[in-house]
Structure formats: structure tokens, C-alpha cells
Amino acid sequence: MKKSALQKARASYQPKLPIVLTGPVKAVAGKPTQSVANQTEINELFPCTYGLPEIKFEKNTAPTAGKPVNVGVILSGGQAPGGHNVISGLFDGIKKIHRDSRLFGFIMGPGGLVDHKYIELTAPIINEYRNTGGFDIIGSGRTKLETKEQFDKGLEIIRELGINALVIIGGDDSNTNAAVLAEYYKANNTGVQVLGCPKTIDGDLKNDLIETSFGFDTATKVYSEMIGNIQRDCNSAKKYWHFIKLMGRSASHIALECALQTQPNICIISEEVEAKNLTLQQVVDQIAEVVAARAAEGNNFGTVLIPEGLIEFIPAVKALIAELNDLLAAKAEEFAAVAADKQREFIISNLSPENAATYESLPHGVARQLSLDRDPHGNVQVSLIETEKLLSEMVGKRLAAMKAEGNYKGKFSPLHHFFGYEGRCADPSNFDADYCYALGFNAACLINSGVTGYMSSVRNLVKPAVQWIAGGIPITMMMNMERRHGEMKPVIQKALVRLDGAPFKKFAAQRKDWAYNTCYVYPGPIQYFGPAEVCDQPSLTLQYEHKGK
Amino acid sequence: MKKSALQKARASYQPKLPIVLTGPVKAVAGKPTQSVANQTEINELFPCTYGLPEIKFEKNTAPTAGKPVNVGVILSGGQAPGGHNVISGLFDGIKKIHRDSRLFGFIMGPGGLVDHKYIELTAPIINEYRNTGGFDIIGSGRTKLETKEQFDKGLEIIRELGINALVIIGGDDSNTNAAVLAEYYKANNTGVQVLGCPKTIDGDLKNDLIETSFGFDTATKVYSEMIGNIQRDCNSAKKYWHFIKLMGRSASHIALECALQTQPNICIISEEVEAKNLTLQQVVDQIAEVVAARAAEGNNFGTVLIPEGLIEFIPAVKALIAELNDLLAAKAEEFAAVAADKQREFIISNLSPENAATYESLPHGVARQLSLDRDPHGNVQVSLIETEKLLSEMVGKRLAAMKAEGNYKGKFSPLHHFFGYEGRCADPSNFDADYCYALGFNAACLINSGVTGYMSSVRNLVKPAVQWIAGGIPITMMMNMERRHGEMKPVIQKALVRLDGAPFKKFAAQRKDWAYNTCYVYPGPIQYFGPAEVCDQPSLTLQYEHKGK
């Protein structure tokens, strides 16, 4: 692997650890826990791992000698900056327990466990990947560990390698699977521990004890660098409106954090759109109103941040999609026989009046896409919709109408961007490098303390790393029952943007100023070697949430 | 203006100057120069500013006291990182000549000179913008200074403000205009000096004495950061082919530099496509061949870098567009009367067989776009074509055919990106911060030495800044005659990628390895505070060109 100059320089960075983890620790158990909702159901589903206590590590003044442990590690789901540091922290952690401990990495995600594909992660390999972005050390995958067959197949290789504990690095779904696996291995007295690590750039896996998922900090900083650069361009040329879509389908944390960092003219928060029951046209009208107001001041430029999942949060669009799915399933044959130029009419005449109106309000191309491109289950493929283009097209139409009414004078030239893949594998910020290393090292301590069904928890994150608090929380504590594919399932509750939370309130208090005036902030690229105020700041979301407590 | 932490920390950076510019200088004239081609015509068009000598600054051991100068500065054309440092270098330079010197910035580009829109750039304003990206200090614009009326209108405000010299910061076209303006003001004995500064992220304004245009270094580093991040993602998930279009319509320097920095699987160089007279289908086939070969090894992922201007370099497409323009102009009415579903047929039957074949090879959407979306002059709008999607669509089609023939087994999932606006206003790298500051400071020295029609020249750029050589070169030296809008015009010759140049040869020697193996390099974000090997490296293009000499 040919390394860049930065990679070489970063290789020697020693991530900071919470002070407590720098010496021998003992696990101090707190009170028994409850799941966030549906306590009875979750308890029934997790008889062996429900109600466990929170754990906090404290200094151990009378440590006993450690025994070697063999650990398997899995990267699950979408990439997030810092994954390699979780693994190197885990490696250093188990080596500290005993130098004969061994680490096995399962290849290309959870599928590697089932298919018995693995490599042993030795010091030379680990050292190649310290403080780097990406999941390429062992690859990642999206196989869901859900069935007894998978669990038993996994147990075979676990036995073969003498593995004592499995660490699954993943988002809410992967950690849900980790909890199910932990329960299964415990119920069957396998002695195999299963632990989770909170990963996702989306930032929607968090609660009081998991203050943030790793990767969110770095990814939002990369996107904010790009947005800032675009805003500086926008404010120099003064002739384009940039519609910037940001990854994050379920929650708008990424868009909100980027807005706090860069102060764009407009940022849409899906959770607010849903709470206010806005139609797509109302979202469009709000944007058009800002465009017109800025144009009146001679400013025919601006920026709009759009969360990737917006369209699925708009109640009217959600209702339309549900009816479309039903309609196209029920009248599949009839629809297939309709001539191409009559399909639009057919759909409109068969929809309820409300949904027909929503359908008609969409640009023709998008409407056609909704009725034609369906997934193997026959469902409309919402993710194919280029929301940034859909919005700018509808804004353009609205502005044309306003111009005709005499309510808008100006030029509207939109440009489009989508940032996602640019940030998922960036080199981790100092924050993520430290946080991930601590999460991994802490997971080793959890293994050593013999628990299972826990998530590695490192908190107090707005403080310097030495003051961070390390421990574990039972995964079942984060669960509730939700409908998935028509069935009620135990899952980790997603943390959406709270409209009564400090980050959103901070944004809401300033956004009018940002909309009409030009208040752009230009964060620039992530720095690793400069002053602490440049290099070591956690996300604004984390900072405001902390202050809001 | 609310500043980011990085902006605050960077404000105090003192750009490095060539040692010679740190004290009093004298202009040492070299030999008289000739234009690169069409010497007779250029000489006739520039009787007052043709054949001037190169100038090199040397230490002046017997300096005389300077007199105050009033200078006007203009930012012209697309943004490039470092523009603010040219202005701050110019400011510091004229203040060093005499503390009563004044700097006026014309607003929103050359149009500000004609429309008499300006602000005085005082120390507090300049200090707000040191080492920042963007052109927002005075804005930029694309008005071309070409007519006598514009020159005379400009002279009015020049006289009103007592301006002695005008500095135009721009690309090849803007510097061509600077030369014409210099000639006009000299021919009319106005005493007003006009000087140029070489700006463009495209990197196509260079020669032996202008080693690089400013902004290229930073912009390519930002794009390479993004490409590296995408490649790390690509190599972690192992399931997507990323088609990445990069800004730069006329030349492929940006794509080539990014390829040298990141080692993608494929990078297309427009100049090579043209030189080899490749058809679009041949370009597509070459990509498909690499996709298939990688798939055979189980690697259904990769990256393709595409220069924005590719399509205009493909001889067959160029010929098609030329004929389409003629055809649609000649048969405008007839074509307008053709029913939408018969238009394709109409065009194919009216084109020559070669061009009809090219037209038929294009995806239908692109073909339709070519015949429908035309600019106000009736010309096909090539820039609207999303080349990255066009290529991936055609590659997909080719792979389907190869699969049918049994020559391809694999999954092809393309994703698309276009990077341009993300890099034009980035915070300048140390190289661009220093280079730009030196270019501006050096322009002040050129003003002080009384010359006109010169471009600020700072060279020896692969060496540390103290060893840089400062001087000026007559703009006419860079000119030749080219057809523009049907007329022969004197213009600065664009520097395209040379297939016999060291950077391309370096790329060509390695690309086969990069294609079939996975040799990605991950440069990461621009650093400002770290070790010199991370923070202070000029572009690889510059380094290889230097070594190649």
C-alpha cells in the first residue's frame, strides 16, 4: 500500500484514552436497567440479557493477572470514519490483558462469521491501519445475523478459533442483531460473549449513555468543509443557488450539524417537516419565498441543505407512496396494458383525491419514476428520487408563477450536489480517532469483565479525553418493539432530531437571519496538527446537547 | 463575518516570499521576446507592447525612495484559491513602496471598471481576508474587456481615482484582455500600466516562465481528498464503480494531477483521446474491459476519473455536434414540425452516415438533449451533458453485451460525482498562499519598475519559497492567433496536457497496474500546521515537470 504523506504522519498519532483505562480497571455495576419501551415484550424476548445493570469502569487497586482472550471482530453496515481505530483499540486492549490474546477479523461483514472467512489481525497489520479512515482492513457487509442457522454456523468457527468474545461494530440494526446473538449464545450456555460498538455517520444511534455514534464527527466535518467551500464560491460569483443533499435517510442530524457549522441560507429538517405535517409544496413555497426575498435585495444566490430522507418524512408523500404501492399491486395487469402516454392519467384517476393532488404536484419525471421504478417487492423506490433536483425544479416552477404575479424579480440558476460517500471513509478527526480507540479499548475491558449483550460506552465527550467515562450499557436497555416487514420486532430505537433539543433550537433561533442575510461560515478541512481549538472540537450537536442538559 | 476556528488560526499565517522580494529590487531586463507563434500578426496588433524583454528582479543595493502609487485590482472569471492572497501581497507590496499608496478593488469583475463600481481596500479589509479562499473580498465576474468604449469608460474612473496601474487577476482570456488593454493605454499615452496575474484552477495557463497558475494546487488537493475518501469507501464496501467528473473543460490537467495523487483504476485524458482519434464507443469499451477484468478477479468496484471537457475532445462527437448545429439551423422549421416520437428518426436520416452512427450510439436521453437543448445562438449545449452518467450508462450496456457473449461475469453498480465548485474557493494550501502572495507582491514591484503588458512571474516553484525567482514576462510572448467566433484573434495559447510531458508519461507508465490491481492512495485533507512533507508539497504535476526538464 503506497501511503500518502498525511497517512505516514498520522500513523504515529497516539489516540488519547480516558485516564481510567490507562491502568487496571474493575467493573462497577449500577442499578438494573429497563428497555426504553415495551418492557414486558423485550424482557420475554431477552430472558438472559434483559435488565442487566449499567457498568462503569473504575480504577482497580488490586488487579489479578489477566488470561489470554481470543476475540472476533466484525464491521457491519455502512462505513464510518474511525472503524480502524476501534479495532486497533480493541487489539491494544486485549494485548494489555495478556500478550497472548489474539484478534480475528471476519471478512466483509457479518457474512464472514457465517461463511467462516477471517484473518488473524496481528500487530503488523494493525499498525498499517492506525488512525486511518475506511473499513478496508477486513471490509464490511450488510448480511443480517438473524437466524438460528447463522448463529450455529458462526459458533462453529468461534469454537474452531477458540474465540471467547465477538465485537460487532455497527449501527442500530447491527447492534440489535448483536443483542439477539448475545441472548442466543447465553441461552445456549456457549460462554461466548457478544458486545456492540456504536457506529454510524447518521448520528441516530445515541441516548443518555451513548452520547454519539462514531464517524458522525468526521463525516459532518468533511461535508461542512465542502459546504463551506461551495458557500464561499456562491458568495464570490453571486449567481447560483446550490441545492446540497446530505446522506442520512432516517434522521436529519447530519444536515443539522452541517447547518450549525456553515450557516446556510436554508436547511430542511425532515423531523420538523413531519411534525408540522407540511406538504411538499409547502416546503417548496418556503424555499421560493427565501429565494424571492433575497432576490429583492439583489442576491440571486444561496444554499439549501436537504437531508437525504426528506421525501419519506413528508406525510402527504408517504401517503401517496403507500397508496401507489397498493394501487400498482392491485391493478398490475391493468396498468401494464395502459399505453405509456396514458399512464399518468390512469394513475391520477385511480388515486384518492388527496394523493392524486400530491402526484400531480410532482414534476412529471419524478412522478413517472414513482410509478415505474419499483423494487423486487413491487415497492416504489424512494431512494432513487434525486430530491435536490426535485426541489429545485419545483422551486423554479413556483418562482415562475410568482414572477407572473409580480411577486418575484430575479434569476434562479440552481446547481446540485450530493455528499455522502465523500465522508464515510475520511481519515478520522482527532475526536473520532480518540473516541474510536477508546471504544475499542473499552470493549476489551468489557470482555475481561465477562459481560455479554453490552454496548461499549464512552461518555462525557465534550470534556478532554482523559476525563471521559468508560463502561458498558445493556443493549436491551435501548430497545423497543417496532413493525418491520409487517411483524413486530425488538429493535434499538432510532434517535431522530428532537425539535425540543438544544441543537435544533439553536438552529431555529438563527435560521431567519441566515436565510435573508448572508452569514456563511467556512470551516475548512479537518486539521490534525494545529492548535486545539482547530483540531480537537467535538461536533456542535454534541456541544449544544451537553449544554442543554 | 463569523469566522471558523481554522480561519482565525490561519489569519496570522505569514506567507513566505522569495528572498529577493524581501528587500529593494531592481528590474533586470533580459533579451527581447517573441510570441509563441504568428509573430508578424501579433507584432502588428501590439506595436507598443510586443517584443519587450523578460524581466528578473535582483537585489538593489542603491535603492531610491519610492513614490506613492494608486493601484486598481480586478478579479476576473472563475474563482481560484489564493485570490485574496494576491490582493494582500499587492497591498503589502505597494505599501512597502510608499505608505501612502492606495489600492482600489473593482467590484464583481471587469464590469466594475466599466461601471465605476469599486471600494478602497484598506488594511482592516485586507486583514479580514488574508489566507482565505474565495473571491468575495470584491467579487468576480466574466465581463470581457474588449471594446474601445469599455477601455475609455474605464479610463474615466482610473483618472478620477488617480490610478497608476491596473492588476487583472485572471485566466488566459482575462490576461489576453489585459494585454489588449495595456496596448491601448500605452498607444494612447495614458501612462496607465496594466499587469496580469496567472489564475485558474484548470492549470492550462502555463509555460516555461509561468510554471503554474494559482489555485491549481489547492483545487486538485481538495478533489484528491474527496477522490481518496471515495476510493477508501469503494475498497471497503467493494460493490460500486464510482464515475467521478472533474472540472476543467479545456484541459485535463486537473484529472491528471488527481490521478497521480490518488491512483484510480481509470483516468481518461481528453488530449490522449483526441490524439488517438478515439470514438466515444472506444473510450467506453476500454472502461468496460477494465471493469470485466477486475470482475474476473472478484473485484466489482473501481473508480473512473473523467475530465469535464472530454466529450468535446472526441473527434467523432465534435463532428456530430458540428453537423447537428448546421442541420438544426438549416432545417429548423421542418424539425419543429416533426412529432416528438419521430424526431430521433428525422435526425438520423438527415445526418451523414458516420455522424448518424455516433448519434445512434449515444443513450437516447443524451441524444435527445443534443437535439433539443440549444443555446441562444442555436448551438448544441455540450456542457449540459452529464458525461459521468453518459459513460456509465454506455459501459453498462457494453457489459450487458459482453455478459451475453460470455465475456463478463459480475455486478456493475455505478455511482456518480462531479467535483468543481467544492475546490474553487477552498482555503489556499500553503503553496498557493505563498505563491499568490508572492505574485501580488511581485506585481507591486513590476508597477514600481514602470512596465506594462506584463504578467507577474514567480518561478522555481519546486524549491522552497525563499529560492523562488521573481520577475515579469510580456503577455504578448504567450500569444498566438486562434479562430474565435469565426474571426482570427490574438489569444494566449492554452497549455493542454502534453502526451510527451513527464506528468502524463508518469501516469501512462503506471496506469495498467492501477487498473487491474487496487493501488489507491488516500491523500486526506490539506494540512496547514503539520510537518513540511505534509503541508508544503507542490503539485505532482509541477514536481514531475521540473524533474522532466
Side-chain angles (χ1 to χ4, degrees):
Chain A
M1 177 159 53
K2 181 173 161 185
K3 289 187 183 164
S4 67
L6 177 61
Q7 254 178 293
K8 286 181 206 158
R10 275 296 272 182
S12 60
Y13 176 74
Q14 179 53 51
K16 301 183 264 299
L17 271 182
I19 189 89
V20 67
L21 295 186
T22 59
V25 293
K26 61 179 177 205
V28 178
K31 286 186 198 154
T33 57
Q34 293 278 335
S35 62
V36 287
N38 312 100
Q39 289 84 3
T40 316
E41 293 95 322
I42 306 286
N43 194 353
E44 273 170 24
L45 289 163
F46 296 88
C48 306
T49 54
Y50 187 85
L52 298 171
E54 286 172 39
I55 280 176
K56 197 178 143 186
F57 287 120
E58 292 182 6
K59 192 174 173 177
N60 189 348
T61 48
T64 52
K67 279 185 298 184
V69 284
N70 285 358
V71 174
V73 65
I74 295 172
L75 291 165
S76 180
Q79 284 75 251
H84 290 160
N85 268 25
V86 178
I87 294 177
S88 59
L90 179 60
F91 180 84
D92 291 352
I94 62 171
K95 286 292 185 186
K96 198 172 173 193
I97 293 168
H98 195 285
R99 61 178 192 168
D100 292 336
S101 296
R102 296 169 73 185
L103 183 62
F104 298 93
F106 289 99
I107 303 293
M108 296 311 289
L113 178 69
V114 181
D115 304 334
H116 299 187
K117 293 201 174 130
Y118 68 91
I119 53 163
E120 180 166 359
L121 295 168
T122 55
I125 297 175
I126 294 287
N127 291 340
E128 284 288 288
Y129 289 89
R130 289 180 190 270
N131 309 310
T132 60
F135 278 10
D136 43 309
I137 186 170
I138 47 175
S140 183
R142 292 186 185 273
T143 303
K144 284 196 198 309
L145 293 180
E146 287 178 316
T147 67
K148 191 177 164 312
E149 289 68 36
Q150 290 175 318
F151 302 165
D152 292 338
K153 203 85 180 46
L155 196 57
E156 287 173 19
I157 187 72
I158 285 172
R159 292 297 185 220
E160 193 182 317
L161 298 174
I163 284 176
N164 310 95
L166 212 53
V167 176
I168 297 177
I169 302 169
D172 51 346
D173 281 344
S174 306
N175 275 285
T176 293
N177 294 338
V180 175
L181 190 61
E183 175 69 25
Y184 183 84
Y185 284 166
K186 183 137 186 209
N188 288 280
N189 289 312
T190 62
V192 180
Q193 299 163 258
V194 182
L195 300 164
C197 271
K199 171 232 71 173
T200 168
I201 62 162
D202 292 357
D204 55 6
L205 173 53
K206 64 179 174 184
N207 53 49
D208 285 347
L209 299 168
I210 302 292
E211 295 176 355
T212 187
S213 54
F214 79 77
F216 176 75
D217 186 78
T218 306
T220 53
K221 281 179 172 138
V222 172
Y223 304 146
S224 295
E225 173 197 358
M226 294 299 114
I227 296 164
N229 288 357
I230 287 171
Q231 289 190 153
R232 195 125 210 180
D233 198 284
C234 183
N235 195 25
S236 299
K238 299 189 192 293
K239 60 181 177 183
Y240 294 118
W241 270 89
H242 293 266
F243 285 71
I244 305 168
K245 187 168 72 177
L246 296 166
M247 210 172 238
R249 270 188 73 183
S250 302
S252 303
H253 296 292
I254 289 179
L256 179 57
E257 171 68 20
C258 291
L260 291 168
Q261 296 223 21
T262 62
Q263 306 192 168
N265 298 106
I266 297 170
C267 175
I268 301 167
I269 302 296
S270 302
E271 289 86 342
E272 185 185 26
V273 170
E274 185 175 44
K276 292 186 171 167
N277 201 12
L278 297 184
T279 64
L280 182 55
Q281 191 59 52
Q282 285 172 314
V283 174
V284 167
D285 290 352
Q286 288 181 358
I287 300 172
E289 188 272 323
V290 174
V291 173
R294 288 179 62 82
E297 303 286 321
N299 296 319
N300 289 299
F301 65 93
T303 49
V304 186
L305 305 191
I306 304 157
E308 189 185 10
L310 172 66
I311 205 88
E312 293 177 84
F313 275 83
I314 297 175
V317 176
K318 237 197 280 191
L320 166 64
I321 289 168
E323 194 181 350
L324 261 183
N325 282 336
D326 291 348
L327 169 67
L328 295 174
K331 305 204 172 186
E333 273 182 47
E334 201 179 330
F335 181 68
V338 174
D341 59 345
K342 302 284 181 216
Q343 286 175 339
R344 184 176 166 85
E345 219 170 283
F346 174 88
I347 287 171
I348 291 169
S349 64
N350 277 280
L351 286 171
S352 65
E354 296 79 28
N355 290 335
T358 304
Y359 189 83
E360 285 191 279
S361 76
L362 298 174
H364 286 212
V366 174
R368 193 170 48 237
Q369 199 173 36
L370 278 182
S371 50
L372 292 182
D373 295 330
R374 278 172 294 150
D375 71 12
H377 308 286
N379 290 322
V380 159
Q381 288 188 276
V382 186
S383 66
L384 287 183
I385 299 174
E386 293 179 293
T387 324
E388 66 282 23
K389 291 187 182 165
L390 165 68
L391 284 180
S392 82
E393 194 174 331
M394 291 182 73
V395 167
K397 223 168 129 184
R398 174 76 192 122
L399 289 170
M402 288 169 73
K403 194 169 255 178
E405 295 159 8
N407 292 324
Y408 166 61
K409 256 187 176 171
K411 261 186 88 169
F412 176 67
S413 302
L415 289 171
H416 307 96
H417 312 264
F418 170 43
F419 296 126
Y421 299 95
E422 292 78 358
R424 305 198 311 177
C425 287
D427 293 310
S429 61
N430 283 350
F431 175 85
D432 268 328
D434 295 347
Y435 180 45
C436 289
Y437 186 81
L439 282 173
F441 198 97
N442 183 59
C445 298
L446 288 171
I447 292 168
N448 199 34
S449 68
V451 298
T452 190
Y454 276 74
M455 196 182 288
S456 179
S457 160
V458 174
R459 55 200 175 87
N460 208 25
L461 298 172
V462 296
K463 294 285 163 57
V466 287
Q467 298 177 39
W468 289 353
I469 297 164
I473 64 167
I475 303 178
T476 52
M477 185 186 171
M478 305 163 70
M479 289 184 147
N480 66 170
M481 301 298 291
E482 289 179 22
R483 185 169 298 277
R484 295 285 168 95
H485 304 290
E487 255 184 276
M488 290 308 283
K489 290 262 187 184
V491 296
I492 293 176
Q493 202 175 40
K494 262 195 203 300
L496 301 182
V497 169
R498 294 182 55 153
L499 303 185
D500 61 352
F504 180 82
K505 279 157 78 179
K506 192 92 184 174
F507 160 71
Q510 300 174 84
R511 62 176 154 184
K512 207 165 174 179
D513 185 27
W514 299 352
Y516 300 109
N517 304 308
T518 302
C519 309
Y520 301 152
V521 175
Y522 314 117
I526 292 175
Q527 296 297 303
Y528 299 103
F529 308 99
E533 65 273 21
V534 177
C535 299
D536 296 321
Q537 297 305 313
S539 70
L540 292 173
T541 300
L542 200 58
Q543 294 186 44
Y544 293 146
E545 277 174 349
H546 179 80
K547 275 188 210 154
K549 270 177 194 164
Chain B
M1 178 158 53
K2 181 173 161 185
K3 289 187 184 164
S4 66
L6 177 61
Q7 254 178 293
K8 286 180 206 159
R10 274 296 272 179
S12 60
Y13 177 73
Q14 180 53 52
K16 301 182 265 297
L17 271 183
I19 190 89
V20 66
L21 295 185
T22 58
V25 293
K26 61 178 179 205
V28 178
K31 285 187 198 153
T33 59
Q34 293 279 336
S35 61
V36 287
N38 310 102
Q39 289 84 2
T40 316
E41 293 95 323
I42 306 286
N43 194 354
E44 271 169 25
L45 288 162
F46 296 89
C48 307
T49 54
Y50 187 84
L52 298 171
E54 286 173 39
I55 279 175
K56 197 179 144 187
F57 287 120
E58 292 183 4
K59 191 173 178 180
N60 189 347
T61 47
T64 52
K67 280 185 298 185
V69 284
N70 286 357
V71 174
V73 65
I74 295 172
L75 291 165
S76 181
Q79 283 75 249
H84 290 159
N85 268 27
V86 178
I87 294 178
S88 58
L90 179 60
F91 180 84
D92 291 352
I94 62 172
K95 286 292 185 187
K96 198 173 173 191
I97 294 169
H98 195 286
R99 63 178 191 171
D100 292 337
S101 295
R102 296 169 72 187
L103 183 63
F104 299 94
F106 290 99
I107 303 292
M108 297 310 289
L113 177 71
V114 181
D115 304 335
H116 299 188
K117 294 202 172 127
Y118 68 92
I119 53 162
E120 180 165 0
L121 295 168
T122 56
I125 296 174
I126 293 287
N127 291 339
E128 284 288 289
Y129 289 87
R130 287 181 193 270
N131 310 311
T132 62
F135 278 10
D136 44 308
I137 187 170
I138 48 176
S140 183
R142 293 188 184 271
T143 304
K144 285 197 197 305
L145 293 179
E146 289 179 314
T147 67
K148 190 177 166 310
E149 290 68 37
Q150 289 175 320
F151 302 164
D152 291 338
K153 203 85 184 39
L155 196 57
E156 288 173 18
I157 188 72
I158 285 172
R159 292 295 185 222
E160 192 181 316
L161 299 173
I163 285 175
N164 311 92
L166 212 52
V167 176
I168 297 177
I169 302 168
D172 51 345
D173 282 343
S174 306
N175 276 285
T176 293
N177 294 338
V180 175
L181 190 62
E183 175 70 25
Y184 183 84
Y185 284 167
K186 182 134 187 213
N188 289 280
N189 289 313
T190 62
V192 180
Q193 299 162 258
V194 182
L195 300 164
C197 271
K199 170 231 73 172
T200 169
I201 62 162
D202 292 355
D204 56 5
L205 172 53
K206 64 178 172 184
N207 53 50
D208 285 345
L209 300 168
I210 302 293
E211 295 176 356
T212 187
S213 54
F214 78 77
F216 176 75
D217 185 79
T218 306
T220 53
K221 282 180 171 136
V222 172
Y223 304 146
S224 296
E225 173 197 358
M226 295 299 115
I227 296 163
N229 288 357
I230 288 170
Q231 291 192 151
R232 194 125 210 179
D233 199 284
C234 185
N235 196 24
S236 300
K238 301 191 191 291
K239 60 180 177 182
Y240 295 118
W241 270 89
H242 292 267
F243 285 70
I244 305 168
K245 187 170 69 176
L246 296 166
M247 210 173 239
R249 271 189 71 184
S250 302
S252 303
H253 297 292
I254 289 179
L256 179 57
E257 170 68 20
C258 291
L260 292 168
Q261 295 223 19
T262 63
Q263 306 190 170
N265 299 105
I266 298 170
C267 175
I268 301 167
I269 302 296
S270 301
E271 289 86 342
E272 185 184 25
V273 170
E274 186 174 45
K276 292 187 172 169
N277 201 13
L278 297 184
T279 64
L280 182 55
Q281 191 58 51
Q282 285 174 312
V283 173
V284 166
D285 290 352
Q286 289 182 355
I287 300 172
E289 188 273 321
V290 174
V291 173
R294 289 180 62 81
E297 303 286 320
N299 297 319
N300 288 297
F301 65 93
T303 49
V304 186
L305 305 191
I306 305 156
E308 190 186 11
L310 171 66
I311 205 88
E312 294 176 83
F313 275 82
I314 297 175
V317 177
K318 238 198 277 190
L320 166 64
I321 288 167
E323 193 180 349
L324 261 183
N325 281 336
D326 291 347
L327 169 68
L328 295 173
K331 306 205 172 186
E333 273 182 45
E334 201 180 327
F335 181 68
V338 174
D341 60 345
K342 302 282 181 221
Q343 286 175 341
R344 186 177 164 83
E345 218 170 285
F346 174 88
I347 287 171
I348 291 171
S349 62
N350 277 281
L351 286 172
S352 65
E354 296 78 29
N355 290 334
T358 304
Y359 189 83
E360 285 191 279
S361 76
L362 297 174
H364 287 211
V366 173
R368 194 170 49 237
Q369 201 174 33
L370 278 182
S371 49
L372 291 181
D373 296 330
R374 278 171 293 150
D375 72 11
H377 308 286
N379 290 322
V380 159
Q381 287 187 276
V382 186
S383 66
L384 287 184
I385 299 174
E386 293 179 292
T387 325
E388 67 281 22
K389 292 186 183 167
L390 165 67
L391 285 180
S392 82
E393 195 174 331
M394 291 181 73
V395 168
K397 225 170 127 183
R398 174 77 193 119
L399 289 170
M402 290 168 72
K403 193 170 257 179
E405 296 158 7
N407 293 322
Y408 166 63
K409 254 187 175 171
K411 261 187 88 172
F412 176 66
S413 302
L415 289 171
H416 307 97
H417 312 264
F418 170 43
F419 296 126
Y421 299 96
E422 292 78 358
R424 305 196 313 177
C425 287
D427 293 310
S429 62
N430 283 350
F431 174 85
D432 268 329
D434 295 347
Y435 180 45
C436 289
Y437 186 80
L439 281 172
F441 199 97
N442 183 60
C445 299
L446 287 170
I447 292 167
N448 200 35
S449 68
V451 298
T452 190
Y454 276 75
M455 195 182 290
S456 180
S457 161
V458 174
R459 55 201 176 87
N460 208 24
L461 297 172
V462 296
K463 294 284 163 60
V466 287
Q467 298 177 39
W468 289 353
I469 296 163
I473 65 167
I475 303 179
T476 52
M477 185 185 170
M478 305 163 69
M479 289 183 149
N480 66 1
M481 301 298 293
E482 289 179 21
R483 184 169 299 278
R484 295 284 167 98
H485 303 291
E487 256 182 277
M488 290 308 282
K489 291 261 189 185
V491 297
I492 293 177
Q493 202 176 39
K494 261 194 206 301
L496 301 182
V497 169
R498 294 182 57 155
L499 304 185
D500 61 351
F504 179 82
K505 279 157 77 179
K506 193 92 183 171
F507 160 71
Q510 299 174 86
R511 62 176 153 183
K512 205 162 174 185
D513 186 27
W514 300 352
Y516 301 109
N517 303 309
T518 301
C519 309
Y520 302 152
V521 175
Y522 316 116
I526 293 175
Q527 297 297 302
Y528 300 103
F529 308 101
E533 64 273 19
V534 177
C535 300
D536 296 321
Q537 298 304 314
S539 69
L540 291 173
T541 300
L542 200 57
Q543 294 184 45
Y544 294 147
E545 278 174 349
H546 180 78
K547 275 188 212 156
K549 270 179 195 166

